[in-house]
Amino acid sequence: ARPLYSKLGATKATALLPSLLEKHRLVSLNLEFCRAASILDAVAETQHATLKRLNLNGVPDADPSIVTRLLGSCRRLEVVGLFRHVRLGDDALAALPSSLQELSVSGCSLISDAGIKTLVEHAPHLHFLDVTRCPALTDTSLMTLASLRLTGLVCYANAGLSMYGRLRASQLRRLDCTGSRGVERRTGPKRVRLQ
């Protein structure tokens, strides 16, 4: 959508997109940093059966209730980007389908431990999660995430998280816990405390 918005401008692109969506069934839709909130209902109505990848990173005018409704209607979603939706709460995580494999809620500061618990219950195949700058999360979320076979977890700037040893390290390939405090790791028979 970004090239369309660049070429036509926001007003024309927003007016044109619903008719394009009516004619095509998409597997992937990238609306990153577009003022595209007005077409989210059209996306939900026309793409719910086929959409697998949805990038709504930095969509500044998106209403949280409309985003939540969209996530709930697209039952085949596998990859979702919701970076910087500062008004998005735990109910959006509850709306996500069981097919979800990768999720970024980086900067979604209202996401809490309860939302992570619901996410794990609804999306058991999740293998990558970005919860950067989600300050309400505590080690309870890490204990909840331990039930998943995560291959990647990004927790940058979440000082309340430290119990990374609870995760299934045999599956984990990427871990960014920059900004965590009191993280411990084992090296041989003795324990080393990282500060």
Side-chain angles (χ1 to χ4, degrees):
R2 197 179 307 160
L4 186 66
Y5 275 72
S6 295
K7 186 174 183 176
L8 299 177
T11 304
K12 287 183 181 177
T14 300
L16 181 61
L17 268 174
S19 63
L20 288 173
L21 292 170
E22 287 289 335
K23 296 175 185 174
H24 303 282
R25 295 297 171 254
L26 304 176
V27 174
S28 180
L29 179 61
N30 183 349
L31 295 171
E32 187 170 51
F33 294 104
C34 292
R35 293 197 171 274
S38 61
I39 68 158
L40 295 183
D41 280 329
V43 172
E45 290 171 17
T46 61
Q47 307 304 314
H48 64 275
T50 58
L51 202 58
K52 291 184 177 183
R53 302 175 68 86
L54 178 62
N55 185 341
L56 296 178
N57 289 333
V59 176
D61 55 345
D63 181 275
S65 63
I66 293 172
V67 171
T68 300
R69 188 168 51 246
L70 170 62
L71 297 174
S73 69
C74 296
R75 304 315 302 163
R76 297 184 67 195
L77 287 173
E78 296 175 0
V79 179
V80 176
L82 297 169
F83 166 72
R84 219 162 145 205
H85 284 260
V86 295
R87 298 180 298 145
L88 203 65
D90 293 339
D91 54 337
L93 300 184
L96 289 161
S98 62
S99 57
L100 190 69
Q101 297 175 22
E102 298 180 23
L103 174 66
S104 172
V105 288
S106 174
C108 298
S109 56
L110 299 179
I111 300 296
S112 73
D113 292 335
I116 297 298
K117 182 177 188 290
T118 302
L119 174 66
V120 169
E121 290 169 355
H122 286 91
H125 305 293
L126 186 72
H127 65 81
F128 177 83
L129 178 62
D130 184 345
V131 289
T132 295
R133 297 189 194 284
C134 294
L137 299 182
T138 70
D139 281 334
T140 299
S141 285
L142 289 178
M143 289 186 279
T144 301
L145 290 168
S147 67
L148 297 177
R149 295 184 182 277
L150 289 176
T151 59
L153 178 62
V154 180
C155 299
Y156 180 83
N158 287 349
L161 301 177
S162 64
M163 298 176 69
Y164 294 98
R166 305 277 183 183
L167 300 171
R168 292 184 182 185
S170 63
Q171 302 292 323
L172 206 56
R173 299 290 178 255
R174 177 181 178 202
L175 174 63
D176 184 346
C177 54
T178 305
S180 296
R181 295 191 180 127
V183 177
E184 293 185 0
R185 72 175 172 94
R186 288 184 187 258
T187 57
K190 64 179 184 174
R191 186 170 271 210
V192 176
R193 189 164 182 83
L194 302 175
Q195 294 294 335

